[in-house]
Every structure is written in C-alpha cells, then in structure tokens.
PDB file of all heavy atoms in Angstrom:
ATOM      1  N   ALA A   1      96.074 115.989 122.226  1.00  0.00           N
ATOM      2  CA  ALA A   1      94.803 115.265 122.210  1.00  0.00           C
ATOM      3  C   ALA A   1      94.847 114.109 121.219  1.00  0.00           C
ATOM      4  O   ALA A   1      94.297 113.032 121.473  1.00  0.00           O
ATOM      5  CB  ALA A   1      93.663 116.221 121.866  1.00  0.00           C
ATOM      6  N   VAL A   2      95.512 114.324 120.083  1.00  0.00           N
ATOM      7  CA  VAL A   2      95.641 113.254 119.092  1.00  0.00           C
ATOM      8  C   VAL A   2      96.430 112.090 119.675  1.00  0.00           C
ATOM      9  O   VAL A   2      96.043 110.921 119.532  1.00  0.00           O
ATOM     10  CB  VAL A   2      96.323 113.783 117.806  1.00  0.00           C
ATOM     11  CG1 VAL A   2      96.656 112.630 116.859  1.00  0.00           C
ATOM     12  CG2 VAL A   2      95.429 114.796 117.111  1.00  0.00           C
ATOM     13  N   ARG A   3      97.533 112.386 120.338  1.00  0.00           N
ATOM     14  CA  ARG A   3      98.371 111.324 120.904  1.00  0.00           C
ATOM     15  C   ARG A   3      97.627 110.510 121.948  1.00  0.00           C
ATOM     16  O   ARG A   3      97.846 109.310 122.102  1.00  0.00           O
ATOM     17  CB  ARG A   3      99.635 111.931 121.508  1.00  0.00           C
ATOM     18  CG  ARG A   3     100.591 112.480 120.457  1.00  0.00           C
ATOM     19  CD  ARG A   3     101.700 113.300 121.081  1.00  0.00           C
ATOM     20  NE  ARG A   3     102.430 114.040 120.055  1.00  0.00           N
ATOM     21  CZ  ARG A   3     103.113 115.141 120.279  1.00  0.00           C
ATOM     22  NH1 ARG A   3     103.164 115.654 121.507  1.00  0.00           N
ATOM     23  NH2 ARG A   3     103.743 115.748 119.293  1.00  0.00           N
ATOM     24  N   GLY A   4      96.728 111.175 122.670  1.00  0.00           N
ATOM     25  CA  GLY A   4      95.944 110.434 123.652  1.00  0.00           C
ATOM     26  C   GLY A   4      94.908 109.525 123.036  1.00  0.00           C
ATOM     27  O   GLY A   4      94.428 108.593 123.687  1.00  0.00           O
ATOM     28  N   ALA A   5      94.565 109.796 121.772  1.00  0.00           N
ATOM     29  CA  ALA A   5      93.510 109.019 121.112  1.00  0.00           C
ATOM     30  C   ALA A   5      94.041 107.871 120.277  1.00  0.00           C
ATOM     31  O   ALA A   5      93.268 107.014 119.854  1.00  0.00           O
ATOM     32  CB  ALA A   5      92.675 109.945 120.226  1.00  0.00           C
ATOM     33  N   ILE A   6      95.370 107.857 120.023  1.00  0.00           N
ATOM     34  CA  ILE A   6      95.904 106.856 119.093  1.00  0.00           C
ATOM     35  C   ILE A   6      96.758 105.807 119.798  1.00  0.00           C
ATOM     36  O   ILE A   6      97.325 106.032 120.865  1.00  0.00           O
ATOM     37  CB  ILE A   6      96.757 107.519 117.983  1.00  0.00           C
ATOM     38  CG1 ILE A   6      98.010 108.162 118.591  1.00  0.00           C
ATOM     39  CG2 ILE A   6      95.944 108.513 117.183  1.00  0.00           C
ATOM     40  CD1 ILE A   6      99.025 108.628 117.567  1.00  0.00           C
ATOM     41  N   GLY A   7      96.841 104.655 119.141  1.00  0.00           N
ATOM     42  CA  GLY A   7      97.851 103.659 119.447  1.00  0.00           C
ATOM     43  C   GLY A   7      98.676 103.487 118.188  1.00  0.00           C
ATOM     44  O   GLY A   7      98.117 103.285 117.113  1.00  0.00           O
ATOM     45  N   LEU A   8      99.998 103.588 118.311  1.00  0.00           N
ATOM     46  CA  LEU A   8     100.876 103.536 117.141  1.00  0.00           C
ATOM     47  C   LEU A   8     101.779 102.315 117.228  1.00  0.00           C
ATOM     48  O   LEU A   8     102.475 102.109 118.230  1.00  0.00           O
ATOM     49  CB  LEU A   8     101.732 104.805 117.061  1.00  0.00           C
ATOM     50  CG  LEU A   8     102.831 104.818 115.984  1.00  0.00           C
ATOM     51  CD1 LEU A   8     102.212 104.753 114.586  1.00  0.00           C
ATOM     52  CD2 LEU A   8     103.707 106.051 116.134  1.00  0.00           C
ATOM     53  N   VAL A   9     101.779 101.511 116.168  1.00  0.00           N
ATOM     54  CA  VAL A   9     102.701 100.380 116.059  1.00  0.00           C
ATOM     55  C   VAL A   9     103.600 100.651 114.857  1.00  0.00           C
ATOM     56  O   VAL A   9     103.196 100.457 113.710  1.00  0.00           O
ATOM     57  CB  VAL A   9     101.946  99.049 115.877  1.00  0.00           C
ATOM     58  CG1 VAL A   9     102.938  97.893 115.760  1.00  0.00           C
ATOM     59  CG2 VAL A   9     101.006  98.811 117.053  1.00  0.00           C
ATOM     60  N   PRO A  10     104.818 101.148 115.086  1.00  0.00           N
ATOM     61  CA  PRO A  10     105.688 101.513 113.969  1.00  0.00           C
ATOM     62  C   PRO A  10     106.262 100.285 113.267  1.00  0.00           C
ATOM     63  O   PRO A  10     106.214  99.162 113.796  1.00  0.00           O
ATOM     64  CB  PRO A  10     106.793 102.319 114.646  1.00  0.00           C
ATOM     65  CG  PRO A  10     106.843 101.798 116.043  1.00  0.00           C
ATOM     66  CD  PRO A  10     105.430 101.423 116.394  1.00  0.00           C
ATOM     67  N   GLN A  11     106.803 100.520 112.081  1.00  0.00           N
ATOM     68  CA  GLN A  11     107.363  99.430 111.282  1.00  0.00           C
ATOM     69  C   GLN A  11     108.554  98.789 111.997  1.00  0.00           C
ATOM     70  O   GLN A  11     108.713  97.567 111.983  1.00  0.00           O
ATOM     71  CB  GLN A  11     107.797  99.972 109.923  1.00  0.00           C
ATOM     72  CG  GLN A  11     108.244  98.902 108.942  1.00  0.00           C
ATOM     73  CD  GLN A  11     108.525  99.485 107.576  1.00  0.00           C
ATOM     74  OE1 GLN A  11     108.341 100.675 107.337  1.00  0.00           O
ATOM     75  NE2 GLN A  11     108.964  98.645 106.664  1.00  0.00           N
ATOM     76  N   THR A  12     109.389  99.601 112.625  1.00  0.00           N
ATOM     77  CA  THR A  12     110.505  99.084 113.416  1.00  0.00           C
ATOM     78  C   THR A  12     110.022  98.845 114.839  1.00  0.00           C
ATOM     79  O   THR A  12     109.399  99.718 115.446  1.00  0.00           O
ATOM     80  CB  THR A  12     111.671 100.094 113.437  1.00  0.00           C
ATOM     81  OG1 THR A  12     112.089 100.337 112.096  1.00  0.00           O
ATOM     82  CG2 THR A  12     112.841  99.554 114.238  1.00  0.00           C
ATOM     83  N   VAL A  13     110.282  97.676 115.370  1.00  0.00           N
ATOM     84  CA  VAL A  13     109.807  97.327 116.710  1.00  0.00           C
ATOM     85  C   VAL A  13     110.306  98.352 117.722  1.00  0.00           C
ATOM     86  O   VAL A  13     111.511  98.630 117.804  1.00  0.00           O
ATOM     87  CB  VAL A  13     110.274  95.912 117.095  1.00  0.00           C
ATOM     88  CG1 VAL A  13     109.946  95.619 118.557  1.00  0.00           C
ATOM     89  CG2 VAL A  13     109.631  94.882 116.188  1.00  0.00           C
ATOM     90  N   ALA A  14     109.377  98.929 118.492  1.00  0.00           N
ATOM     91  CA  ALA A  14     109.699  99.986 119.450  1.00  0.00           C
ATOM     92  C   ALA A  14     109.598  99.440 120.869  1.00  0.00           C
ATOM     93  O   ALA A  14     108.653  99.727 121.614  1.00  0.00           O
ATOM     94  CB  ALA A  14     108.758 101.170 119.256  1.00  0.00           C
ATOM     95  N   LEU A  15     110.575  98.634 121.231  1.00  0.00           N
ATOM     96  CA  LEU A  15     110.644  98.056 122.572  1.00  0.00           C
ATOM     97  C   LEU A  15     112.045  98.263 123.124  1.00  0.00           C
ATOM     98  O   LEU A  15     113.001  98.482 122.368  1.00  0.00           O
ATOM     99  CB  LEU A  15     110.330  96.557 122.530  1.00  0.00           C
ATOM    100  CG  LEU A  15     108.948  96.135 122.024  1.00  0.00           C
ATOM    101  CD1 LEU A  15     108.904  94.632 121.806  1.00  0.00           C
ATOM    102  CD2 LEU A  15     107.865  96.566 123.010  1.00  0.00           C
ATOM    103  N   TYR A  16     112.190  98.162 124.452  1.00  0.00           N
ATOM    104  CA  TYR A  16     113.502  98.233 125.079  1.00  0.00           C
ATOM    105  C   TYR A  16     114.025  96.816 125.251  1.00  0.00           C
ATOM    106  O   TYR A  16     113.540  96.050 126.087  1.00  0.00           O
ATOM    107  CB  TYR A  16     113.408  98.960 126.420  1.00  0.00           C
ATOM    108  CG  TYR A  16     113.119 100.432 126.256  1.00  0.00           C
ATOM    109  CD1 TYR A  16     111.818 100.920 126.318  1.00  0.00           C
ATOM    110  CD2 TYR A  16     114.155 101.325 125.999  1.00  0.00           C
ATOM    111  CE1 TYR A  16     111.557 102.273 126.148  1.00  0.00           C
ATOM    112  CE2 TYR A  16     113.895 102.677 125.817  1.00  0.00           C
ATOM    113  CZ  TYR A  16     112.602 103.141 125.897  1.00  0.00           C
ATOM    114  OH  TYR A  16     112.343 104.483 125.712  1.00  0.00           O
ATOM    115  N   PRO A  17     115.020  96.423 124.435  1.00  0.00           N
ATOM    116  CA  PRO A  17     115.436  95.018 124.394  1.00  0.00           C
ATOM    117  C   PRO A  17     116.080  94.512 125.673  1.00  0.00           C
ATOM    118  O   PRO A  17     116.069  93.303 125.938  1.00  0.00           O
ATOM    119  CB  PRO A  17     116.432  94.976 123.220  1.00  0.00           C
ATOM    120  CG  PRO A  17     116.926  96.377 123.089  1.00  0.00           C
ATOM    121  CD  PRO A  17     115.775  97.249 123.472  1.00  0.00           C
ATOM    122  N   THR A  18     116.644  95.401 126.496  1.00  0.00           N
ATOM    123  CA  THR A  18     117.313  94.953 127.720  1.00  0.00           C
ATOM    124  C   THR A  18     116.353  94.851 128.912  1.00  0.00           C
ATOM    125  O   THR A  18     116.762  94.405 129.992  1.00  0.00           O
ATOM    126  CB  THR A  18     118.461  95.908 128.083  1.00  0.00           C
ATOM    127  OG1 THR A  18     117.946  97.228 128.256  1.00  0.00           O
ATOM    128  CG2 THR A  18     119.516  95.921 126.981  1.00  0.00           C
ATOM    129  N   LEU A  19     115.092  95.253 128.705  1.00  0.00           N
ATOM    130  CA  LEU A  19     114.079  95.128 129.754  1.00  0.00           C
ATOM    131  C   LEU A  19     113.247  93.868 129.528  1.00  0.00           C
ATOM    132  O   LEU A  19     113.207  93.321 128.428  1.00  0.00           O
ATOM    133  CB  LEU A  19     113.160  96.350 129.764  1.00  0.00           C
ATOM    134  CG  LEU A  19     113.804  97.717 130.004  1.00  0.00           C
ATOM    135  CD1 LEU A  19     112.738  98.800 130.001  1.00  0.00           C
ATOM    136  CD2 LEU A  19     114.596  97.724 131.307  1.00  0.00           C
ATOM    137  N   THR A  20     112.569  93.437 130.553  1.00  0.00           N
ATOM    138  CA  THR A  20     111.652  92.306 130.407  1.00  0.00           C
ATOM    139  C   THR A  20     110.372  92.786 129.726  1.00  0.00           C
ATOM    140  O   THR A  20     110.121  93.991 129.598  1.00  0.00           O
ATOM    141  CB  THR A  20     111.295  91.701 131.762  1.00  0.00           C
ATOM    142  OG1 THR A  20     110.525  92.667 132.514  1.00  0.00           O
ATOM    143  CG2 THR A  20     112.538  91.307 132.546  1.00  0.00           C
ATOM    144  N   ALA A  21     109.545  91.834 129.332  1.00  0.00           N
ATOM    145  CA  ALA A  21     108.257  92.188 128.735  1.00  0.00           C
ATOM    146  C   ALA A  21     107.409  92.976 129.726  1.00  0.00           C
ATOM    147  O   ALA A  21     106.773  93.979 129.369  1.00  0.00           O
ATOM    148  CB  ALA A  21     107.520  90.922 128.295  1.00  0.00           C
ATOM    149  N   ARG A  22     107.402  92.561 130.977  1.00  0.00           N
ATOM    150  CA  ARG A  22     106.605  93.250 131.993  1.00  0.00           C
ATOM    151  C   ARG A  22     107.116  94.672 132.215  1.00  0.00           C
ATOM    152  O   ARG A  22     106.328  95.615 132.338  1.00  0.00           O
ATOM    153  CB  ARG A  22     106.638  92.468 133.305  1.00  0.00           C
ATOM    154  CG  ARG A  22     105.624  92.978 134.334  1.00  0.00           C
ATOM    155  CD  ARG A  22     105.787  92.290 135.682  1.00  0.00           C
ATOM    156  NE  ARG A  22     105.794  90.849 135.581  1.00  0.00           N
ATOM    157  CZ  ARG A  22     104.690  90.097 135.505  1.00  0.00           C
ATOM    158  NH1 ARG A  22     103.501  90.674 135.498  1.00  0.00           N
ATOM    159  NH2 ARG A  22     104.783  88.780 135.431  1.00  0.00           N
ATOM    160  N   GLU A  23     108.430  94.832 132.241  1.00  0.00           N
ATOM    161  CA  GLU A  23     108.997  96.166 132.438  1.00  0.00           C
ATOM    162  C   GLU A  23     108.667  97.083 131.264  1.00  0.00           C
ATOM    163  O   GLU A  23     108.399  98.275 131.458  1.00  0.00           O
ATOM    164  CB  GLU A  23     110.510  96.056 132.629  1.00  0.00           C
ATOM    165  CG  GLU A  23     110.898  95.468 133.981  1.00  0.00           C
ATOM    166  CD  GLU A  23     112.364  95.094 134.055  1.00  0.00           C
ATOM    167  OE1 GLU A  23     113.006  94.923 132.993  1.00  0.00           O
ATOM    168  OE2 GLU A  23     112.875  94.954 135.181  1.00  0.00           O
ATOM    169  N   ASN A  24     108.686  96.543 130.056  1.00  0.00           N
ATOM    170  CA  ASN A  24     108.289  97.338 128.899  1.00  0.00           C
ATOM    171  C   ASN A  24     106.849  97.792 129.027  1.00  0.00           C
ATOM    172  O   ASN A  24     106.531  98.973 128.809  1.00  0.00           O
ATOM    173  CB  ASN A  24     108.466  96.528 127.618  1.00  0.00           C
ATOM    174  CG  ASN A  24     109.816  96.721 126.959  1.00  0.00           C
ATOM    175  OD1 ASN A  24     110.042  97.677 126.228  1.00  0.00           O
ATOM    176  ND2 ASN A  24     110.733  95.800 127.248  1.00  0.00           N
ATOM    177  N   LEU A  25     105.964  96.886 129.394  1.00  0.00           N
ATOM    178  CA  LEU A  25     104.555  97.233 129.513  1.00  0.00           C
ATOM    179  C   LEU A  25     104.321  98.242 130.638  1.00  0.00           C
ATOM    180  O   LEU A  25     103.514  99.172 130.483  1.00  0.00           O
ATOM    181  CB  LEU A  25     103.719  95.974 129.743  1.00  0.00           C
ATOM    182  CG  LEU A  25     103.546  95.067 128.520  1.00  0.00           C
ATOM    183  CD1 LEU A  25     102.956  93.729 128.919  1.00  0.00           C
ATOM    184  CD2 LEU A  25     102.673  95.737 127.462  1.00  0.00           C
ATOM    185  N   ARG A  26     105.013  98.085 131.749  1.00  0.00           N
ATOM    186  CA  ARG A  26     104.879  99.052 132.836  1.00  0.00           C
ATOM    187  C   ARG A  26     105.334 100.443 132.399  1.00  0.00           C
ATOM    188  O   ARG A  26     104.688 101.451 132.711  1.00  0.00           O
ATOM    189  CB  ARG A  26     105.708  98.601 134.036  1.00  0.00           C
ATOM    190  CG  ARG A  26     105.070  97.489 134.860  1.00  0.00           C
ATOM    191  CD  ARG A  26     106.026  97.023 135.937  1.00  0.00           C
ATOM    192  NE  ARG A  26     105.411  96.009 136.800  1.00  0.00           N
ATOM    193  CZ  ARG A  26     106.100  95.245 137.631  1.00  0.00           C
ATOM    194  NH1 ARG A  26     107.420  95.389 137.749  1.00  0.00           N
ATOM    195  NH2 ARG A  26     105.471  94.352 138.376  1.00  0.00           N
ATOM    196  N   PHE A  27     106.438 100.503 131.658  1.00  0.00           N
ATOM    197  CA  PHE A  27     106.946 101.782 131.192  1.00  0.00           C
ATOM    198  C   PHE A  27     105.940 102.463 130.269  1.00  0.00           C
ATOM    199  O   PHE A  27     105.622 103.644 130.440  1.00  0.00           O
ATOM    200  CB  PHE A  27     108.281 101.594 130.462  1.00  0.00           C
ATOM    201  CG  PHE A  27     108.762 102.838 129.772  1.00  0.00           C
ATOM    202  CD1 PHE A  27     109.363 103.863 130.492  1.00  0.00           C
ATOM    203  CD2 PHE A  27     108.591 103.000 128.401  1.00  0.00           C
ATOM    204  CE1 PHE A  27     109.778 105.027 129.860  1.00  0.00           C
ATOM    205  CE2 PHE A  27     109.011 104.160 127.767  1.00  0.00           C
ATOM    206  CZ  PHE A  27     109.615 105.174 128.502  1.00  0.00           C
ATOM    207  N   PHE A  28     105.430 101.714 129.278  1.00  0.00           N
ATOM    208  CA  PHE A  28     104.507 102.314 128.325  1.00  0.00           C
ATOM    209  C   PHE A  28     103.164 102.649 128.981  1.00  0.00           C
ATOM    210  O   PHE A  28     102.516 103.635 128.605  1.00  0.00           O
ATOM    211  CB  PHE A  28     104.320 101.398 127.115  1.00  0.00           C
ATOM    212  CG  PHE A  28     105.492 101.433 126.174  1.00  0.00           C
ATOM    213  CD1 PHE A  28     106.360 100.369 126.083  1.00  0.00           C
ATOM    214  CD2 PHE A  28     105.739 102.563 125.401  1.00  0.00           C
ATOM    215  CE1 PHE A  28     107.456 100.405 125.238  1.00  0.00           C
ATOM    216  CE2 PHE A  28     106.831 102.611 124.544  1.00  0.00           C
ATOM    217  CZ  PHE A  28     107.697 101.529 124.464  1.00  0.00           C
ATOM    218  N   ALA A  29     102.734 101.853 129.943  1.00  0.00           N
ATOM    219  CA  ALA A  29     101.504 102.180 130.665  1.00  0.00           C
ATOM    220  C   ALA A  29     101.658 103.510 131.402  1.00  0.00           C
ATOM    221  O   ALA A  29     100.754 104.361 131.378  1.00  0.00           O
ATOM    222  CB  ALA A  29     101.159 101.070 131.655  1.00  0.00           C
ATOM    223  N   HIS A  30     102.804 103.701 132.040  1.00  0.00           N
ATOM    224  CA  HIS A  30     103.065 104.975 132.742  1.00  0.00           C
ATOM    225  C   HIS A  30     103.122 106.126 131.737  1.00  0.00           C
ATOM    226  O   HIS A  30     102.556 107.209 131.986  1.00  0.00           O
ATOM    227  CB  HIS A  30     104.379 104.879 133.508  1.00  0.00           C
ATOM    228  CG  HIS A  30     104.707 106.110 134.291  1.00  0.00           C
ATOM    229  ND1 HIS A  30     104.151 106.380 135.535  1.00  0.00           N
ATOM    230  CD2 HIS A  30     105.519 107.168 134.011  1.00  0.00           C
ATOM    231  CE1 HIS A  30     104.604 107.538 135.980  1.00  0.00           C
ATOM    232  NE2 HIS A  30     105.438 108.042 135.076  1.00  0.00           N
TER     233      HIS A  30
END
C-alpha cells in the first residue's frame, strides 16, 4: 500500500539508458 502511494526519485538516476524516453515511461507506467 505504501508503494502505491509514493513516487520515489532516487539520488542515482533510475532509467534504462538503452531504451528511449517513451519506452522508459511505458515500462514504468505498466
């Protein structure tokens, strides 16, 4: 329930560098 309520932006960038911006957003949205 906590995880569903929060948005976390960690100190180290948590993105997939070999994916596009749109692909990253689609992955995290899913």
Side-chain angles (χ1 to χ4, degrees):
V2 171
R3 290 169 192 156
I6 65 170
L8 173 64
V9 180
Q11 187 174 357
T12 301
V13 172
L15 299 169
Y16 290 95
T18 58
L19 300 181
T20 67
R22 191 187 308 278
E23 288 168 340
N24 268 278
L25 287 168
R26 282 174 177 166
F27 171 78
F28 284 108
H30 182 81

